């Protein structure tokens, strides 16, 4: 006859053995999971740190590219605007100096227009970069730019002060030029050798050169490079059709604020920094 005590004792020992066996399995399993999680989090942290460091270094490179371009343009602007012939012989020898500016444009290849405007904002000299061949614009084709913001801003400046326009698209006769031509206008007031203000000198820098340099420096880099204006419109972004939204009525909603509101809230309030959102890390 089966002894119920022995049977109960066996069940207890059997169950206890399974408990010990389960604990024996679970403890290392939990340790393995914990260690794996810790190592994974550590790897993620290291990877994030590397991404941040590389991205910051990349941004410094891009910033330096912009700085070097601007320094070159400003140097050209001050040199051309201080040309002694412009001060002392205009308009007597205007043809000679215009030819010199044409040659300068041909050698530099980075300016869409080189212009001198008189005190009333009327162009007296204009060199157009037409199909990469600078041409002297005939007198009958010179325009009145007195209502353009860059003339109004510059004519009010003192000697050796420089106006830099927003980065936008060239506009001719009230319409965006096609194909689009990104430009930045650098301008300075011109003074005669006697100290009289006689007009404004303007260089229209071909901004596509700068954009090309930024793209070239970003090849094989992780993530997207974005160049924005202060209103959050893309000048250079991952989707070309969204660029220059402020210049076209149908693109006015293409802003970082609309597409990435959480990121824009941080970007627009800080000189530098980073934020991680559902759309990724922004640096």
């Amino acid at each position: 006859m089966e002894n119920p005590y022995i049977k109960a004792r066996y069940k207890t020992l059997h169950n206890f053995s399974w408990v010990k066996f389960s604990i024996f399995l679970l403890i290392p399993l939990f340790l393995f999971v914990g260690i794996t999680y810790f190592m994974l989090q550590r790897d993620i942290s290291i990877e994030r740190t590397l991404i941040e460091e590389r991205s910051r270094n990349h941004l410094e490179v891009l910033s330096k590219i912009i700085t070097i371009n601007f320094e070159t343009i400003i140097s050209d602007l001050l040199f051309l605007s201080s040309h002694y012939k412009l001060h002392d012989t205009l308009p007597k020898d205007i043809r000679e100096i215009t030819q010199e500016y044409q040659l300068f444009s041909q050698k530099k290849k980075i300016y869409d227009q080189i212009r001198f405007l008189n005190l009333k904002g009327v162009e007296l000299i204009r060199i157009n970069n037409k199909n990469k061949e600078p041409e002297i614009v005939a007198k009958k084709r010179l325009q009145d730019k007195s209502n353009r913001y860059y003339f109004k801003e510059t004519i009010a400046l003192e000697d050796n002060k420089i106006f830099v326009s927003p980065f936008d698209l060239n506009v001719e006769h009230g319409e965006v030029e096609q194909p689009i031509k990104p430009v930045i206008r650098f301008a300075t007031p011109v003074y005669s050798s006697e100290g009289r203000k006689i007009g404004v000198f303007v260089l229209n820098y071909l901004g596509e050169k700068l954009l090309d340099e930024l793209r070239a420096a970003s090849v094989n880099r992780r993530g997207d490079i974005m160049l924005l204006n202060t209103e959050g419109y893309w000048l250079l972004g991952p989707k070309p059709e969204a660029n220059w939204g402020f210049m076209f009525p149908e693109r006015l909603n293409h802003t970082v604020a609309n597409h990435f509101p959480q990121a824009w809230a941080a970007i627009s309030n800080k000189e530098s920094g980073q934020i991680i959102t559902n759309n990724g890390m922004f640096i």
Side-chain angles (χ1 to χ4, degrees), residues 148 169-179 185 247-248:
R148 296 306 304 272
L169 301 178
N170 194 50
V171 174
E172 289 295 337
H173 305 291
E175 294 185 359
V176 175
E177 184 179 354
Q178 295 294 335
R185 299 163 191 84
M247 300 293 296
F248 302 98

Side-chain angles (χ1 to χ4, degrees), residues 75-263:
S75 176
D76 288 347
L77 178 70
L78 294 177
F79 170 75
L80 294 174
S81 65
S82 62
H83 199 297
Y84 75 94
K85 290 183 179 178
L86 185 61
H87 291 180
D88 298 327
T89 64
L90 189 73
K92 183 180 177 182
D93 293 331
I94 195 168
R95 180 173 177 79
E96 181 181 346
I97 193 172
T98 301
Q99 290 173 340
E100 290 183 13
Y101 291 152
Q102 181 186 28
L103 180 62
F104 180 87
S105 179
Q106 188 176 46
K107 297 299 183 183
K108 294 291 289 191
K109 302 183 187 302
I110 62 173
Y111 298 114
D112 180 51
Q113 296 173 7
I114 296 177
R115 292 178 290 165
F116 174 69
L117 286 63
N118 65 17
L119 289 173
K120 296 181 179 180
V122 177
E123 295 174 340
L124 297 184
I125 297 174
R126 175 168 173 162
I127 310 298
N128 277 355
N129 190 339
K130 187 176 182 181
N131 299 321
K132 299 183 179 180
E133 285 297 327
E135 66 169 7
I136 298 173
V137 176
K139 185 176 180 180
K140 62 181 180 181
R141 291 170 51 209
L142 296 176
Q143 300 177 40
D144 182 348
K145 298 293 185 178
S146 58
N147 289 324
R148 296 306 304 272
Y149 68 93
Y150 56 84
F151 173 76
K152 293 179 178 180
E153 294 275 355
T154 308
I155 198 65
L157 296 178
E158 297 177 358
D159 194 13
N160 287 321
K161 298 298 183 180
I162 295 168
F163 169 78
V164 182
S165 79
F167 199 172
D168 59 19
L169 301 178
N170 194 50
V171 174
E172 289 295 337
H173 305 291
E175 294 185 359
V176 175
E177 184 179 354
Q178 295 294 335
I180 64 170
K181 187 181 289 182
V183 293
I184 309 175
R185 299 163 191 84
F186 292 76
T188 189
V190 177
Y191 285 76
S192 71
S193 53
E194 294 83 20
R196 294 182 297 106
K197 186 182 293 185
I198 61 174
V200 165
F201 201 91
V202 185
L203 291 178
N204 281 28
Y205 171 70
L206 287 166
E208 194 63 38
K209 176 184 178 295
L210 176 60
L211 299 179
D212 285 343
E213 288 187 32
L214 297 178
R215 292 188 192 100
S218 304
V219 172
N220 298 325
R221 294 279 185 169
R222 295 181 65 174
D224 298 313
I225 173 180
M226 298 183 186
L227 182 65
L228 315 173
N229 68 8
T230 54
E231 296 176 315
Y233 283 100
W234 277 285
L235 310 179
L236 177 63
K239 297 181 179 180
E241 63 273 14
N243 294 342
W244 311 107
F246 60 100
M247 300 293 296
F248 302 98
E250 66 275 14
R251 298 186 192 179
L252 288 176
N253 66 326
H254 287 305
T255 65
V256 176
N258 287 334
H259 289 270
F260 307 113
Q262 188 180 357

